[in-house]
Every structure is written in structure tokens, then in C-alpha cells.
Amino acid sequence: MCGIIGYVGKQKAAPFILEGLKRLEYRGYDSTGVAILQNGAFSIVKKIGRVANLEKEVAKAPLNGTFGMGHTRWATHGGVTDANAHPHLSSDGKIVLIHNGVIENYGSMKKFLLTKGYTFESETDTEVLCNLIAYHYAKEADSAEENRCLAAVRKALLHAEGTYGIVAMSVDLPGEMVAARKGSPLILGLGDGENIVASDVSAIVARTQSVVYLKDGEIVHLTPKEFRITTLDQESVAPFVDQVTWSVADAEMGTYAHFMEKEIFEQPIALENAMRGRFSEDGSTANFGGLNISAGEFRGIERFTFCACGTALHACMVTEHMIERFARIPVECDYASEFRYRNSPLFRNTLFFVMSQSGETIDTLAALREAKRKGYKVLAVTNVVGSTVAREADGGIYQHVGPEIGVASTKAFTSQLLIGAMLALYIGRMRDLSFSDGVDYVRALKGAPDLVRRALEQAPHIQAIARRYARYADMLFLGRLSLFPIALEGALKLKEISYIHAEGYPAAEMKHGPIALISADCPSVFFAPSGEILNKIISSMQEIKARQGRIIAIITERVELPAGLADEIIVIPECHEAVLPIVASIPVQLLSYYIAVERGCDVDKPRNLAKSVTVE
Ligand code: AGP
């Protein structure tokens, strides 16, 4: 949550920072601000609302300095006001600070600082940290330490409890910047005569592909030509310079109206990228390069636990179905936020998995750390290279789907489903899944991108349905077996971007309570693929119809529903069980998207949400 960017270089900082803020806006969009060091003082402009508002404000008084920082906020401490927006300036005017995270002990810090004469204009924990840095900075006036601002930030952070990704500058030290992280991501971008620090790669790729991923507990001193990383204990850190493999175009909308639309339609290619090079030569199983666990060790696993949040948890639930079905090993799925506090017993020979698109979700990270603390090996499925989850896991699988910018996860979700299905195949082939079943399975997975292309052809039809259903206040999503998690996902997608109340349920469970909601005002989206339990699903549909409930049925090609049972029908291709959840996700993504557009909602930046939830 919150996007931060700092720039020290030779070009005007403000245009680059504003551009970067637009790319980071998906991380939080309550308010934004920029601070530029020019003519021996900080020029600070802050505004509630979107970066576009800030741009208008900045245009009124041009900012020409070449050192500066910007922030886009997702409020934690203090309401959404101009005063609470970042950057914050210390009351002595010396230090400017932007921050992503939560300083938990800011109350006691503030009491102390008030006794020292510091004053406060906002309700934020960040302003308190900023003044604490200024306090140490003032004390450092005669210090022999090489850099006064670095020393002050380090000393302040030694007192800080909580999480932070911060960038600080002193008014006396033009061209110098200090950044540090604990629990909130920070990346350095190394340019030609310029250095950048930002929350994620999207803000940097326009200028450089060379990046350094900072680790928790590290602090960096930057100038336009140099950077030096140390730990809070002043140990030197040798940087590892990585090359980003995606380009600016990957993080741009192109001809689409929204990132979500772009990412929905990108899914065939995203799936191809996620599976590339990951099938065995004999075409009967999957291969993963980075698991860091031998086939023998895998063979000894007797149980899996998967932890994640939101959409990623739904992907875990589908993976549970696939592993239990094709590899016959018990799997447990848990909300990462619950797992971390529940102290649930884990079995011997359990392999722990987390899934996280961003690799920065704090609850998922906490679950990973808790499992590691208990001595378990933890593997991760994640999309963001160099993310904290990727670094802290013992091994894992990258999704390789490029940046996902829309707050509502789409291509990351279907690639997680694909990887889950590939895992089930990999484990299944070590056990009882035969060579020929493996070959069929691989063929089916390889066909997934084309099946998704065909499902996407339904877009105009789904858009027309969306127009008819956009004004309902409630909706149910009902599915069975591997499509129950897709029902949960459909409901989550709809509520997060259109603000329609929606619930996902196992179709047959509906009659144990939710059926009370059914009336002509509460439509149901039913997944009804061909298969052994189709008749049971049809019975559930009849129960809804008998109560005047409208039905949107998502069926596979071979299904014939009784005449008049469904009010709307969306047909998706027949496919292998392992691929069905991927293909069935497409119509609910499109339905949610078009309903949200029809309602005039801000699809890519839904209210109250942020793309990556890095606070508890
Ligand atoms: C998805 O549409 C949501 N925005 C949200 O549920 C998300 O999936 C969740 O916060 C987990 O994010 P992660 O995959 O980055 O960990």
C-alpha cells in the first residue's frame, strides 16, 4: 500500500516523479504529494485525490529542482486530508519524509518530541518519524559520521516499531537521499548519472532496467552517481544488481479502457508465459526449476498446507482440489491472516506453500515466517521477481505474467490456477498418475490459452448481459467441486469493483441458508459444466427458479439445460478437468468488469482498496 518514489539526478525531478506516481497509483490513491529541493528549500505540494489533481496543482508553480520525492497514499493513521498526505516536513524545516507502512510506537515518540519542542500538523505516524529523524539530525550537527542524514535516519529507525519503506532528504544536503525498509518493499533503479528509489519496478522501468531489491533492515545512501547499502547496524551490504525483464509497455494500458480489461484479454499470452519451458521432454509431466527440493523429498510429502489472501486463496482452493484429485494427497487451505495467529498444528512431512501475486502481502508473509519458524520448508508461487515472499521462501515458482496493475486480480489468478494444476500433475506423476494420463493432462494444459481465447470471444454477449444486471443490489455465485472457488472468486470480483453485494457458495449448500435471499431481485450465477453431477446442479437451479430467482448459467458446450430454466446462458468450451477452472474464470471476470463499467465505477482503483496489502 502507498507508492513511494525518490529521485536524485541531473534532470528535472518533478515530471519523472509525477509519471512514476501515476504508475504507482494502483498501490493507494487517497492523496498524493511531491517534495522538490530547489533554491535551498523544499517545495512541497500535496493534494487529496488522484495524481491528476496533484499535476494540476504542480502546474501552478513549476518545480525545477533535480532532487525530490513523491508519494501516493492509502490512509492508515489519520483521515484523507491534504495535511495528512505525504511528504511530511519536520517542524524545524530540515527533513522531508515519505513513508509506506505503520509506525506502531508513534504515540510514545510523539510525547517525547513534544517535550523537545517539535510540533505537528497532521495526525500521521509518518510526521512523528520525520520529526524524530530531525531530532537526531540536530544532535548529529557535530558528528564525525560521514553523512548526517544517514546517521539520523538510522538512529530514528532503531527506535521505530512497525513497518516502513521510507525516503528522507535533508534541506542542507542537496543531491543526497536516504531510504530504508522493513516490511514494505523498496527498489533501487540505477541510471546514468541518476538514481531512483521506488516501491516497485513499474515506477523505474521508464528510466532503467538495472535494479537492486533492498532487503528488510537495509538502509541506502544515494547520490546521483553512487549508492551505498548498509544494515541498520552499519554492516556493509554488497548489492546484487538485477535486470528487469519487462518494459514500460507492459505497465501501460495501450488501447484498452482499463488495466483490468487489458489484463483479462492478455490471459492467453500470460498462460503461455507461465507454462513456457515447464513440461518434461516426454510430455507427461511438469518441471519447475526453482523448487529447491528434490524429487525424493517431494515423494516423501504426506500433506500440503496452502496459505494466501483474497483471490490468491481462491487459487489455492482450486489447487487443493487438483492435488487431492490427481495426486491423492491431502491438502489444507487457510487464510494467511488466520493461520498466523491460530497456532494450528501442522503434520510431519507437510510441505507449506504460499501464493501471492505481489509477494508483499503482509499476512501471507507472516504465515510464511510462522511456518518457517516452526521448521517447515516453505515454497511460494508469486509473480513479482525479487519480492519479499520470493526472497524469504525456500524455493518456488514464478508466475511470469508481467505486471498486474488493475487492483482486481485476473491474469495473476488464472496463472496461479495453471501453476496449481501443473503442481498436481508433477506430484501425481510421482505417484499413481499414469504416463498416458499425464500426456493427456499436459496436452490439456497446453491447450488452455486457446480455450481461454475462445471463452474471451463471448465478451460482447457478456457485456450485453451485464447491461441487464448492472442495477441489482445482490447476487449469488454458485458452483461445485473445482468451480466452488471460482464462485467465490466471481463474488469477490463483482463486489470489489462494482460494490454489488455478492456471495459465493457451493451450489448445493445454497439451500441451507442463502436460499432465503432468493427473489426476483437477487440473481444467481451458476456454473453448470458437463459431468457426473450436472443433474444435481440443474436441481439446484430449479430450486432457485421456483422462487422467482433469475439465473445466469455458465455452461460448457455439451450441456443442454431444460427450456426456460436459465434467463441467460454463457457457453464456454468443453475441457479437461484440470483446465476447467481457468476457462470458467473468464466469464465471471468479464461479467464483473462490464457490470462495474456500466455502473460507472472506477474499475482499476476501487474505493478503499489497494493492490498490495502491506499492513495488517
Ligand atoms: C484480488 O482481486 C484482490 N485485489 C485481493 O484479494 C488480492 O488477491 C489479495 O490482496 C492478495 O494479494 P497478493 O496475491 O498480492 O498476495
Side-chain angles (χ1 to χ4, degrees), residues 42 89-96 171:
F42 289 118
L89 182 66
S90 60
S91 62
D92 62 5
K94 290 291 186 185
I95 300 291
V96 75
V171 74

Side-chain angles (χ1 to χ4, degrees), residues 309-312 356-358 361 407-409 492-493 496 613:
C309 301
T311 289
S356 172
Q357 185 285 131
S358 62
T361 301
V407 165
S409 186
L492 175 63
K493 247 9 15 139
E496 75 177 322
V613 183

Side-chain angles (χ1 to χ4, degrees), residues 84-367:
N84 287 340
H86 303 207
H88 288 283
L89 182 66
S90 60
S91 62
D92 62 5
K94 290 291 186 185
I95 300 291
V96 75
L97 184 76
I98 50 176
H99 168 218
N100 172 19
V102 176
I103 303 299
E104 288 163 3
N105 59 336
Y106 78 108
S108 56
M109 282 180 185
K110 189 168 183 175
K111 265 189 211 148
F112 168 77
L113 289 163
L114 284 168
T115 67
K116 300 290 172 192
Y118 288 87
T119 57
F120 298 87
E121 288 179 4
S122 77
E123 305 151 295
T124 65
D125 50 340
T126 306
E127 191 186 17
V128 175
L129 182 62
C130 183
N131 276 317
L132 189 66
I133 295 170
Y135 165 77
H136 285 289
Y137 184 78
K139 288 213 323 186
E140 290 292 317
D142 304 320
S143 147
E145 242 193 280
E146 201 182 341
N147 184 280
R148 215 175 132 195
C149 187
L150 177 64
V153 171
R154 179 184 291 124
K155 284 182 180 150
L157 291 182
L158 288 172
H159 297 284
E161 288 164 20
T163 56
Y164 53 80
I166 56 162
V167 180
M169 270 199 304
S170 146
V171 74
D172 308 318
L173 302 169
E176 297 191 25
M177 187 169 267
V178 177
R181 72 159 279 180
K182 182 183 154 207
S184 301
L186 267 192
I187 292 158
L188 301 184
L190 311 177
D192 178 15
E194 58 186 14
N195 282 315
I196 307 156
V197 56
S199 306
D200 70 51
V201 167
S202 58
I204 289 176
V205 279
R207 259 341 206 284
T208 176
Q209 311 282 112
S210 302
V211 298
V212 175
Y213 299 100
L214 280 193
K215 298 193 189 79
D216 274 355
E218 290 181 351
I219 183 164
V220 58
H221 176 247
L222 300 154
T223 66
K225 294 204 170 140
E226 287 172 344
F227 72 96
R228 195 163 71 86
I229 305 175
T230 51
T231 64
L232 278 190
D233 305 328
Q234 307 195 49
E235 299 280 329
S236 234
V237 175
F240 174 73
V241 181
D242 215 335
Q243 294 299 314
V244 179
T245 52
W246 47 271
S247 67
V248 190
D250 290 325
E252 282 175 350
M253 231 151 37
T255 52
Y256 291 96
H258 299 98
F259 277 108
M260 183 179 177
E261 186 190 20
K262 177 187 181 221
E263 287 156 7
I264 289 175
F265 283 90
E266 253 172 22
Q267 287 176 108
I269 291 168
L271 292 169
E272 278 160 10
N273 290 338
M275 69 173 77
R276 180 164 299 119
R278 285 180 165 163
F279 292 114
S280 64
E281 264 177 38
D282 71 357
S284 77
T285 189
N287 279 331
F288 300 103
L291 292 179
N292 297 335
I293 172 169
S294 69
E297 273 179 279
F298 235 111
R299 185 69 184 82
I301 300 299
E302 292 174 54
R303 192 175 280 264
F304 291 91
T305 295
F306 280 78
C307 269
C309 301
T311 289
L313 181 63
H314 300 152
C316 292
M317 292 168 76
V318 175
T319 303
E320 170 185 8
H321 178 90
M322 296 302 165
I323 294 178
E324 292 191 340
R325 166 90 176 79
F326 292 104
R328 312 291 303 144
I329 299 182
V331 179
E332 222 174 300
C333 286
D334 208 347
Y335 292 99
S337 53
E338 289 297 304
F339 175 83
R340 64 184 293 188
Y341 291 115
R342 218 184 36 238
N343 194 22
S344 65
L346 291 178
F347 282 77
R348 277 188 324 147
N349 301 330
T350 295
L351 185 58
F352 200 91
F353 262 94
V354 293
M355 279 200 197
S356 172
Q357 185 285 131
S358 62
E360 301 294 348
T361 301
I362 198 82
D363 289 321
T364 307
L365 254 173

